[in-house]
Amino acid sequence: MRFNQSGFARSRRREIAFSALCFVLLLGFISVLPGLAEKQAVRAASQAVNWGLSFPEPGQTPVGNAAQDYLQQFGAYYVGDCSQPVIYLTFDAGFENGCTAQILDVLKKHQVPAAFFLVGSYIREQPELVQRMAAEGHIVGNHTNTHPDMSAISDPTAFQAELAAVEQAYQDLTGQPMPKFYRPPQGKYSEDNLQQAQQLGYNTIFWSLAYVDWYEDDQPTKEEAFAKLLPRIHPGAIVLLHSTSATNADILDELLTEWEKMGYSFKSLAELPGI
């Protein structure tokens, strides 16, 4: 077989050129990797999340779709001190349904501190109830001015405006600065939101126990409420109830009594570890 030196040389040159091209392309790919990673991180930080829980065993701390260690780097909580039989009781309210005075009476009877997360219109329309909450030692927390999906708000100025309007309404009414506790409407959030709230001095408060109590025309029975709220209570629970619920107002005295019989005491959100 005759050896074709010129053909071999051409083939060798093509191989060298191809290798050089691959090397250049590889360098280019490597150079854009940090940018791709940064873009992916930005997308992850802005990704919307719906707060959710799973309950492995009765009486045990539920598993959130974000770990408490992760949340706490942003000053956020879904549970408190899980080593002690302690409950942190919270209520959400977007409007007044005639139940809050009764709830406050029961809290006073049991000497239980609570937090009421209120929207801006509630503070402006129910000044006497809000003043009573504050006067009786309860936290009035920020549930935003208009109850939007805050995870859809990426502009820091718009995010701040939702909280600032509630702060101003509370200070105008009470003469005191609003406590820096924030609950995202519907539990919708993003990592950006957690950072934004933290930069504004807020602790973001989720929950480790709640039940479907917010449908005004489809209220749970006492039995249905107790079936959720008694076996699922656990040390360090942050409990979310709606103060618009007639069922909650009717059962609260007995509910607190049952929790107390189970050995639980109650603390304010201001006593959460690390605050």
Side-chain angles (χ1 to χ4, degrees):
M1 180 177 179
R2 185 179 177 183
F3 182 76
N4 189 329
Q5 186 173 6
S6 61
F8 174 80
R10 286 196 298 272
S11 176
R12 183 61 179 159
R13 285 196 296 271
R14 284 196 294 269
E15 288 178 5
I16 294 171
F18 180 75
S19 298
L21 177 61
C22 290
F23 182 70
V24 170
L25 290 174
L26 178 61
L27 286 178
F29 179 71
I30 292 172
S31 70
V32 301
L33 278 178
L36 289 172
E38 183 178 351
K39 288 178 181 178
Q40 288 174 341
V42 169
R43 282 197 296 270
S46 62
Q47 184 176 1
V49 181
N50 292 322
W51 178 248
L53 297 165
S54 61
F55 290 83
E57 296 289 340
Q60 300 298 310
T61 304
V63 178
N65 57 6
Q68 181 56 50
D69 289 347
Y70 165 80
L71 293 173
Q72 204 155 348
Q73 66 181 314
F74 305 106
Y77 295 81
Y78 87 96
V79 290
D81 184 355
C82 297
S83 69
Q84 301 295 325
V86 172
I87 296 170
Y88 307 84
L89 186 58
T90 72
F91 295 87
D92 285 3
F95 61 96
E96 177 53 38
N97 199 31
C99 304
T100 305
Q102 182 180 349
I103 288 171
L104 288 168
D105 289 343
V106 174
L107 294 174
K108 187 174 183 179
K109 173 184 175 181
H110 288 260
Q111 297 183 330
V112 169
F116 289 84
F117 286 94
L118 307 178
V119 298
S121 59
Y122 190 104
I123 295 174
R124 292 184 285 269
E125 295 169 5
Q126 302 295 332
E128 293 181 3
L129 286 172
V130 176
Q131 287 173 322
R132 182 180 172 187
M133 293 171 189
E136 295 182 0
H138 304 298
I139 287 172
V140 177
N142 201 323
H143 202 35
T144 73
N145 191 44
T146 63
H147 205 266
D149 175 359
M150 294 293 277
S151 68
I153 300 177
S154 59
D155 177 32
T157 301
F159 184 94
Q160 181 178 8
E162 275 290 335
L163 302 184
V166 185
E167 294 173 12
Q168 190 62 55
Y170 182 81
Q171 183 148 2
D172 289 345
L173 176 62
T174 65
Q176 301 295 322
M178 186 170 216
K180 292 287 191 172
F181 295 93
Y182 156 64
R183 174 164 283 158
Q186 305 174 64
K188 293 183 177 181
Y189 73 100
S190 68
E191 186 176 293
D192 283 345
N193 292 161
L194 298 178
Q195 291 176 334
Q196 290 163 347
Q198 185 179 42
Q199 289 166 359
L200 295 171
Y202 277 92
N203 292 106
T204 299
I205 307 297
F206 295 103
W207 57 89
S208 61
L209 177 57
Y211 78 118
V212 180
D213 62 350
W214 57 85
Y215 292 117
E216 189 176 354
D217 299 326
D218 188 18
Q219 280 287 286
T221 65
K222 168 188 168 180
E223 292 73 22
E224 289 170 337
F226 275 39
K228 297 291 186 182
L229 298 173
L230 293 181
R232 288 185 172 181
I233 198 63
H234 57 91
I238 296 179
V239 178
L240 163 59
L241 302 176
H242 284 82
S243 58
T244 55
S245 166
T247 295
N248 288 341
D250 290 341
I251 70 171
L252 187 61
D253 191 5
E254 186 177 353
L255 177 64
L256 297 183
T257 299
E258 290 299 318
W259 279 339
E260 288 164 347
K261 287 179 181 178
M262 295 168 71
Y264 284 92
S265 60
F266 299 86
K267 287 188 176 183
S268 166
L269 292 180
E271 299 176 89
L272 283 168
I275 290 184

